Amino acid sequence: MAHTIRNHNNRTFEELIAEAEAAPVDGWDFSWLDGRATEERPSWGYAQAMAARWARATAALDVQTGGGEVLAAAPQLPPLAVATEGWPPNVARATALLHPRGVAVVADADEPPLPFGDGAFDLVTSRHPVKTWWPEIARVLTPGGTFFSQQVGPASVFELVEYFLGPQSADVRNRRDPGRARTEAEAAGLQVADLRLEKLRTEFHDIGAVVYFLRKVIWMVPGFTVEEHRDRLKALDEQIRTEGPFVAHTTRFLIEARKPLRSF
């Protein structure tokens, strides 16, 4: 999300809502929010770090690639390059972006098994997977291979989630805890080489940005519709106009795990 903010609050609530409802939400490109929302970025620079690993790989897989935007930006790809995606609009978008680069895009539900043989890849990456199926990641990695992923952390943007849904339980808030990811990776036989968590300031500067975000990131407020939440949206619109941007905090963690060269 961009850091140059334009004032959209000189437009009516209904105008902002209508515009956000009409905006396409396929792919994983958030450029519609430029000038309307900001989000701090993690210090590790995932896209660049991922691209460097793809440049060194022999056979690489990007799981839940979304619209393929992050992978498409990698300057150099390995001889064998594959991506999976489960949502049909994103499959089409990723195919258009990645096929010209020689990446095979496989339509695959985001659940096991991955449609590849054992030890097929020396690198597996995934940015913001809905769920990481650790035994499958371990299975498709070659001995010595690496899994590299940036993931949504615990209670991410929960100020916004709880504004609409009310207080969430500790179990829900901690569902994406990086410590749990470490435990599950190690249980699958992987060795965690790096694990980092950061909390990042996020600002929504108009109600249209909120609606677009909740339409695109559908698991934040499941089943979100403007009609169902119109009263809360109207109240939040008035709050933003009076008090300034709605502030939330995104959490992200980076995990890098390796498959041992041999089992003991």
Side-chain angles (χ1 to χ4, degrees), residues 40 159 197-201 249-252:
E40 288 183 292
E159 295 92 341
L197 172 69
E198 290 186 0
K199 186 175 182 179
L200 308 156
R201 183 180 175 93
H249 293 87
T250 300
T251 59
R252 298 284 183 262

Side-chain angles (χ1 to χ4, degrees), residues 208-254:
V210 171
V211 170
Y212 178 85
F213 179 80
L214 293 178
R215 289 183 61 230
K216 194 173 185 75
V217 191
I218 57 176
W219 54 87
M220 288 291 179
V221 179
F224 171 83
T225 65
V226 168
E227 287 310 310
E228 183 177 350
H229 297 284
R230 181 171 289 273
D231 290 346
R232 292 297 282 162
L233 287 167
K234 183 64 175 174
L236 184 54
D237 175 64
E238 294 173 358
Q239 177 182 320
I240 291 172
R241 292 174 190 272
T242 303
E243 302 176 14
F246 183 89
V247 177
H249 293 87
T250 300
T251 59
R252 298 284 183 262
F253 69 88
L254 183 78

Side-chain angles (χ1 to χ4, degrees), residues 100-163:
R101 298 288 311 278
V103 180
V105 177
V106 178
D108 178 60
D110 296 331
E111 58 185 33
L114 285 168
F116 309 106
D118 297 357
F121 303 99
D122 57 281
L123 174 67
V124 177
T125 59
S126 191
R127 181 179 181 272
H128 300 174
V130 176
K131 180 175 175 59
T132 302
W133 300 98
W134 290 103
E136 281 297 287
I137 298 296
R139 182 183 65 80
V140 301
L141 279 173
T142 59
T146 296
F147 176 67
F148 185 71
S149 178
Q150 176 177 295
Q151 307 208 3
V152 176
S156 188
V157 201
F158 259 45
E159 295 92 341
L160 189 63
V161 170
E162 294 186 333
Y163 178 85

